[in-house]
Amino acid sequence: LELEQLGRIGEGLTRTGRRAHGDAPDATARQDHERKKQARDPTRHRSGEYTDAPPTRKAKLRPMLAAANLTVVLHQTRSPDNLGAVARVMANFGFHRLILSDPATYAFKSAERLAVKGERVLEGLAVARDLPEALKDCVYAVGTTSRTQIEGRLALTPEEAAGRLAEHSRRGRVALVLGGEQRGLSNEELAFCPDFLVIPTDEVQPSMNLAQAAGVLLYLCSRETRGPVAPVAPPPELAEGARMGTVNAL
């Protein structure tokens, strides 16, 4: 009997010794195991409880469009109604700087009929003799066209164009250039813009109304004025950009 009791005691000491020497998972191993489980199941809280909340993701930083630095340039606009409608759309999305390049109409008073709450835009508009004059204070410009192919150049999507306007607006004024109702922008006129964009439309009617196109593009630009955003202070080399008027003069 005494030998049996001593045997059982010996077996118990052996099992205890095995646990102490790592045959069973230690505290660190258990913690690693728990972390791996939580990584596989993002709805599980650190406390071990489950939550209905989706896993959080870090917002991607991007440059923010400085609304005060965006200029809308209308080239050879003919219709006072379209001018008024563009002014209203600009007010809708918080943009106020408008330049008319070589306008075909000076009936600015008539434009007020459709410029509902866009009177401030009309009151502050400027008139330029031509596109180079309209763009002289800008560091970057995007032209618009319905033509999908221009030799030697690649068209941007509207989203890409809005992103580039945001990026360059950190260096100075940028411009969104829209052509007149009759023929839009020619290849020669688009050449004054470093980039151009095309709004995808159906082949039955690829050309959009001036104010409608402005609405689509200014909406996309307005999204670039809201966060999440990159740090406001640009790198030293981006602090100031060369104005297009200076570049063209060279």
Side-chain angles (χ1 to χ4, degrees):
L1 181 61
E2 290 181 358
L3 290 174
E4 291 181 6
Q5 290 177 342
L6 289 173
R8 285 195 291 270
I9 293 172
E11 290 177 2
L13 290 173
T14 301
R15 287 194 296 269
T16 302
R18 288 177 179 172
R19 286 197 297 271
H21 283 82
D23 288 353
D26 59 14
T28 302
R30 286 196 298 272
Q31 290 174 359
D32 290 341
H33 181 67
E34 189 63 29
R35 279 196 293 268
K36 290 179 181 178
K37 285 176 61 180
Q38 191 167 337
R40 290 193 298 268
D41 189 356
T43 62
R44 188 173 184 180
H45 193 267
R46 289 181 179 178
S47 64
E49 297 178 356
Y50 286 84
T51 174
D52 293 332
T56 57
R57 295 180 179 177
K58 290 185 177 180
K60 184 179 180 181
L61 296 179
R62 66 173 187 269
M64 183 174 77
L65 176 62
N69 277 351
L70 178 68
T71 300
V72 176
V73 177
L74 302 183
H75 182 60
Q76 295 182 341
T77 300
R78 307 178 66 85
S79 167
D81 285 346
N82 276 334
L83 174 58
V86 170
R88 176 174 180 168
V89 167
M90 290 179 64
N92 284 147
F93 297 114
F95 301 107
H96 304 288
R97 182 174 169 79
L98 174 63
I99 295 180
L100 303 184
S101 167
D102 187 21
T105 180
Y106 285 85
F108 302 151
K109 191 70 177 176
S110 300
E112 294 179 359
R113 186 173 67 88
L114 292 184
V116 180
K117 295 188 177 181
E119 295 85 356
R120 175 186 169 189
V121 176
L122 293 178
E123 291 170 1
L125 70 81
V127 177
R129 179 181 51 192
D130 51 28
L131 272 180
E133 181 179 325
L135 299 175
K136 66 180 181 180
D137 291 331
C138 296
V139 300
Y140 177 75
V142 176
T144 58
T145 181
S146 60
R147 303 190 303 280
T148 57
Q149 294 185 357
I150 296 180
E151 186 176 357
R153 304 186 69 179
L154 293 176
L156 300 178
T157 66
E159 293 81 3
E160 289 171 338
R164 292 197 184 183
L165 286 166
E167 180 180 354
H168 288 284
S169 72
R170 301 170 68 199
R171 302 187 298 120
R173 286 178 175 168
V174 295
L176 176 63
V177 185
L178 297 104
E181 301 90 334
Q182 192 169 31
R183 61 177 181 84
L185 295 173
S186 66
N187 288 359
E188 292 75 17
E189 290 161 345
L190 285 171
F192 292 113
C193 304
D195 285 313
F196 75 96
L197 68 86
V198 176
I199 300 176
T201 52
D202 193 88
E203 61 182 8
V204 174
Q205 172 51 291
S207 178
M208 295 183 69
N209 169 268
L210 172 62
Q212 292 172 339
V216 170
L217 298 174
L218 291 176
Y219 164 67
L220 292 175
C221 288
S222 74
R223 295 200 311 181
E224 299 294 329
T225 65
R226 298 188 287 270
V229 299
V232 174
E237 64 271 19
L238 297 180
E240 183 177 357
R243 295 182 179 181
M244 295 177 67
T246 303
V247 174
N248 290 333
L250 295 175

